[in-house]
Amino acid sequence: IILTLPPSLIMEYTGIVFIENDGSFIAEEKIKRILKRGERGNERIPDDGLGLSIVQEIVEQNGGSIEVSKSELGGLKIGVDFN
């Protein structure tokens, strides 16, 4: 999933965007660390674990915050708050 918001929209938008998936759930202790650089949600898929930490940096640089929790769909729920 790619969600692209132009900077002008981000500056005018106030609210929370939720992104959820139905993938395999990550253990609670891993959720607390998943936003840190180098942490990976799925150890079976080779990657560098940079995605969510970069998203968090961008969101925070634009005055927002990000929260990760369990989705009712079974996977992760990511909330990006631009209030």
Side-chain angles (χ1 to χ4, degrees):
I1 296 173
I2 298 174
L3 175 64
T4 304
L5 298 174
S8 59
L9 180 61
I10 292 173
M11 299 310 287
E12 295 175 16
Y13 179 78
T14 58
I16 302 174
V17 175
F18 291 103
I19 299 108
E20 299 183 61
N21 72 20
D22 61 355
S24 57
F25 178 65
I26 297 173
E28 195 68 36
E29 63 274 359
K30 186 133 188 151
I31 284 182
K32 295 175 184 176
R33 299 188 323 256
I34 198 70
L35 294 174
K36 293 183 180 175
R37 188 172 300 270
E39 288 293 330
R40 297 178 3 200
N42 188 340
E43 299 293 331
R44 293 176 285 166
I45 298 173
D47 64 18
D48 295 322
L50 298 176
L52 288 177
S53 66
I54 292 171
V55 169
Q56 182 178 29
E57 272 185 48
I58 293 168
V59 168
E60 288 177 351
Q61 287 174 358
N62 287 283
S65 62
I66 185 170
E67 183 177 311
V68 180
S69 60
K70 182 177 181 178
S71 169
E72 292 180 11
L73 301 174
L76 283 180
K77 178 178 182 179
I78 299 174
V80 179
D81 186 350
F82 290 107
N83 286 325

